[in-house]
Amino acid sequence: MKVRIAPSLLAADFSKLGDEVRTVEIGGADLLHVDVMDGHFVPPITVGANVVRDIRKVTRIPLDVHLMVERPDDLLDQFVDAGAACVTVHVEAARHLDRTVRYIKSRGIRAGVALNPATPLNSVYYVLGLVDIVLVMSVNPGWGGQPFLDYTLAKVEALKSEIRHRKLNTLIEVDGGVGLDNAAKLAKAGANILVAGTAVFGASDYAIAIRDLRAAGSSSASEP
């Protein structure tokens, strides 16, 4: 099974953002991961819907928007209208998770739910049949370049087991500290999408980095 690679814009050079986006698209990226931070849910502030709208103009690959914000419901329409293919909200921030997920899907795009490393998996179990993607954070959110938290590997395994038990098609995405040293282990545990920031944008050749990550993951990917 092919593992999808989603380069994270958080690690890109924003002084030449359009070129960075086009380069990873040519290099074979499956998705483009866009981290939106509000300075409250996490300390940094990153990009808004206007940046997503501009990125949409220069690439055809799907935009995977990850809202690390305190009030995600207030921003959903902005990012859907800007061209997001998927919007992911944090279970820790969405006060009415079922309603939020249903609203995202009603806009005709994919809905995802993210969990911080220490958040238990059962917090998403009641909406597991509704969401398209569950994003497992494998670092504490806020900054790129952090080391992978090893215990999140077991979290991915447990989530995959639950998805199989229910015979669902929900995808598992992993974000944080992903690289060649753990891509195979994550794919074997059940990850379908690997978000890679510095592992791609920190490489001298983005295409080779994407190719090697996909090869490492796909060689060990578990069956759906």
Side-chain angles (χ1 to χ4, degrees), residues 101-126:
V101 168
R102 289 180 187 274
Y103 182 74
I104 295 170
K105 292 177 73 69
S106 78
R107 290 297 315 270
I109 68 168
R110 287 186 164 190
V113 174
L115 302 97
N116 286 335
T119 300
L121 281 176
N122 61 11
S123 61
V124 300
Y125 279 179
Y126 285 108

Side-chain angles (χ1 to χ4, degrees), residues 18-164:
D19 291 339
E20 294 277 76
V21 169
R22 282 185 285 263
T23 303
V24 293
E25 179 177 17
I26 293 169
D30 300 287
L31 307 163
L32 192 63
H33 191 78
V34 184
D35 288 309
V36 177
M37 306 182 191
D38 64 353
H40 297 285
F41 184 74
V42 290
I45 298 173
T46 54
V47 301
N50 58 326
V51 174
V52 172
R53 185 175 294 106
D54 288 343
I55 294 168
R56 178 75 288 157
K57 297 174 184 176
V58 300
T59 184
R60 295 181 179 180
I61 59 177
L63 303 182
D64 176 32
V65 174
H66 176 193
L67 297 182
M68 287 181 266
V69 301
E70 281 194 351
R71 299 174 62 178
D73 291 328
D74 294 347
L75 302 177
L76 298 178
D77 285 326
Q78 294 181 37
F79 285 97
V80 176
D81 293 343
C86 175
V87 172
T88 295
V89 299
H90 269 262
V91 65
E92 303 89 357
R95 296 179 65 183
H96 305 287
L97 188 59
D98 179 276
R99 184 170 68 195
T100 299
V101 168
R102 289 180 187 274
Y103 182 74
I104 295 170
K105 292 177 73 69
S106 78
R107 290 297 315 270
I109 68 168
R110 287 186 164 190
V113 174
L115 302 97
N116 286 335
T119 300
L121 281 176
N122 61 11
S123 61
V124 300
Y125 279 179
Y126 285 108
V127 297
L128 198 54
L130 291 175
V131 298
D132 300 288
I133 296 171
V134 175
L135 171 58
V136 177
M137 292 298 301
S138 44
V139 299
N140 289 297
W143 294 273
Q146 297 182 67
F148 179 81
L149 296 174
D150 290 332
Y151 68 81
T152 58
L153 188 65
K155 197 172 186 178
V156 174
E157 291 174 341
L159 178 58
K160 190 65 175 184
S161 178
E162 184 69 18
I163 290 170
R164 282 176 171 160

